[in-house]
Amino acid sequence: MSLGLYLHIPYCFSKCRYCDFYSAPGQRGVPRAYVDALLRELSRFAPDAPLRPDTLYFGGGTPSLLVPDDAARLIDAAQPLPGAEITLEANPETVTEASLRAFRAAGVNRISFGVQSARDSQLKTLGRPHTAKQARAAFAAARRAGFENISGDIMLALPHYTQAEFDETLELIEEGGATHISAYLLKIEPDSAFGRTPPEGLPTSDEAADFYLYAVEQLEHHGYLQYEISNFARPGYEGKHNLIYWDCGDYLGIGPAAHSCMGGKRFYYPADTEAFLRDEAAPVMDGGCGAEDYLILQLRLRKGLNLDEYKKRYGRELSTAQRAFVQNCVKSGYASFDGRTLALTPAGLIVQNSILAELL
């Protein structure tokens, strides 16, 4: 069974206006005490032997605020398997060619840049601290530093959005040498700055759907094949870490607000960095991961839900009524179904929640 290890780095320069992830803004780096706390927790989960994860993911926050030597300490402690995918999320303004070379020497072999848009005016609206020029420079520096597996994020359906803005952003990321692209629709979260004060010029839900379908079409035209609702890759560069999540595999998340699922049991750390530093934030149990979770997560993937595997793992089959509903989805262009595998089309992924409401 594969194991994915996620290490949460909650520190950020500033909080983006759309973000409701747990983070601590106003920081210029990651305290050594926090790295020590992560090492402490790693030793608790692997007291007698290293974890040997198949993937290791530094998420945040802004993990590129780490000192590369501290990233090396964490990688060495986890001792990932040979050939493991080791990803570091990075903001373009926080990296240099020297720091990227140091991260590469530490063992990081996949870098993921939060670009979002190629337009500086839009980046300012979002509260992003970088510019398009800095994003281009970061991609170039990553290639010179030896990274071959590079991902870039695009945010869709932003205020006053146009297809031309998407085209410009895709051009920036593709010319930067990206082998993987994540393209997300903007979601207004209640606990974000946008949630408290929504921006003007947001697209309607129908317009947002059109932007999504246009993005899928253009990304695939440029050789980035969709393998998950928001993720696209050149062949062989699919994100291995997140695939563990979507296949209901084992993953261990360490750090405040980090979630885990091990042996079908979910747990998480409280969202409290100070308590985590003081060793007063024990993981909280959070139920299990079962058949419904598997169905939901598999239908995020373009390959879809294999009914034989579904039955093998959980003893579940689609009922007559569910199969009839699936056939209606096929007729409407929302799904494909060959009797063994149910997969949603891009149009189906847009209305995924409505489809799942009928299947669950």
Side-chain angles (χ1 to χ4, degrees), residues 2 36 46-47 74 112 131 134 161 183 195 216 245 248 250 262 280 283 298-299 311 314 322 326 337 348:
S2 297
D36 291 340
L74 292 164
S112 180
T131 64
Q134 287 174 312
Y161 203 64
V216 172
Y245 297 160
C248 277
D250 284 348
M262 300 282 285
E280 297 174 358
Q298 289 290 285
L299 288 180
K311 183 177 180 180
Y314 301 102
Q322 286 174 319
V326 165
F337 184 53

Side-chain angles (χ1 to χ4, degrees), residues 13-333:
F13 282 167
S14 59
K15 191 87 165 177
C16 298
R17 295 193 177 101
Y18 56 83
C19 181
D20 74 336
F21 290 160
Y22 180 73
S23 63
Q27 302 292 324
R28 308 299 294 184
V30 179
R32 178 60 63 89
Y34 184 78
V35 176
D36 291 340
L38 290 175
L39 290 167
R40 177 195 71 216
E41 294 302 299
L42 277 170
S43 68
R44 284 179 172 162
F45 281 101
D48 301 316
L51 289 168
R52 307 310 305 273
D54 299 82
T55 66
L56 197 164
Y57 195 102
F58 291 93
T62 308
S64 49
L65 293 179
L66 275 167
V67 174
D69 284 349
D70 283 337
R73 293 171 65 206
L74 292 164
I75 293 169
D76 289 346
Q79 291 192 29
L81 290 171
E85 175 191 89
I86 303 177
T87 303
L88 181 89
E89 289 183 348
N91 281 1
E93 78 284 357
T94 65
V95 297
T96 64
E97 185 175 339
S99 70
L100 288 166
R101 285 188 183 280
F103 280 124
R104 188 70 189 88
V108 176
N109 54 29
R110 183 175 185 267
I111 196 85
S112 180
F113 289 119
V115 177
Q116 317 310 355
S117 175
R119 295 188 176 178
D120 288 347
S121 59
Q122 189 72 269
L123 293 170
K124 186 175 181 180
T125 297
L126 296 173
R128 298 290 296 178
H130 72 273
T131 64
K133 182 178 179 180
Q134 287 174 312
R136 290 188 181 91
F139 278 101
R143 294 198 311 273
R144 291 193 301 270
F147 282 97
E148 297 177 358
N149 196 347
I150 305 174
S151 183
D153 290 355
I154 299 177
M155 193 163 278
L156 310 172
L158 299 170
H160 305 290
Y161 203 64
T162 63
Q163 290 181 353
E165 181 174 348
F166 172 83
D167 293 342
E168 292 168 23
T169 309
L170 174 56
E171 181 181 22
L172 185 160
I173 292 176
E174 183 178 23
E175 290 185 351
T179 51
H180 182 282
I181 293 176
S182 296
Y184 302 91
L185 287 167
L186 172 65
K187 184 179 179 183
I188 304 299
E189 302 288 356
D191 292 334
S192 68
F194 274 176
R196 294 184 287 273
T197 308
E200 296 180 357
L202 287 173
T204 65
S205 58
D206 285 344
E207 290 170 336
D210 287 341
F211 285 129
Y212 174 79
L213 292 174
Y214 178 78
V216 172
E217 177 185 319
Q218 291 302 309
L219 284 160
E220 297 208 334
H221 178 70
H222 284 257
Y224 297 96
L225 304 183
Q226 186 180 34
Y227 68 98
E228 192 266 347
I229 187 170
S230 300
N231 287 278
F232 306 77
R234 300 212 185 276
Y237 287 95
E238 297 81 3
K240 295 178 183 177
H241 182 80
N242 283 349
L243 282 169
I244 291 175
Y245 297 160
W246 300 320
D247 285 333
C248 277
D250 284 348
Y251 57 91
L252 173 63
I254 297 179
H259 286 248
S260 304
C261 184
M262 300 282 285
K265 296 180 179 179
R266 296 187 184 277
F267 54 94
Y268 65 91
Y269 284 88
D272 187 334
T273 300
E274 293 304 316
F276 184 77
L277 288 169
R278 295 193 304 267
D279 196 10
E280 297 174 358
V284 179
M285 298 307 297
D286 191 32
C289 179
E292 289 189 358
D293 301 271
Y294 184 75
L295 184 148
I296 291 169
L297 292 168
Q298 289 290 285
L299 288 180
R300 290 179 63 100
L301 299 171
R302 282 297 298 272
K303 72 178 179 66
L305 172 71
N306 182 284
L307 297 186
D308 292 338
E309 183 65 21
Y310 186 48
K311 183 177 180 180
K312 179 180 176 182
R313 290 181 66 156
Y314 301 102
R316 295 284 189 93
E317 295 183 278
L318 295 185
S319 67
T320 301
Q322 286 174 319
R323 286 177 177 269
F325 172 73
V326 165
Q327 291 300 336
N328 285 333
C329 289
V330 172
K331 292 176 184 177
S332 301

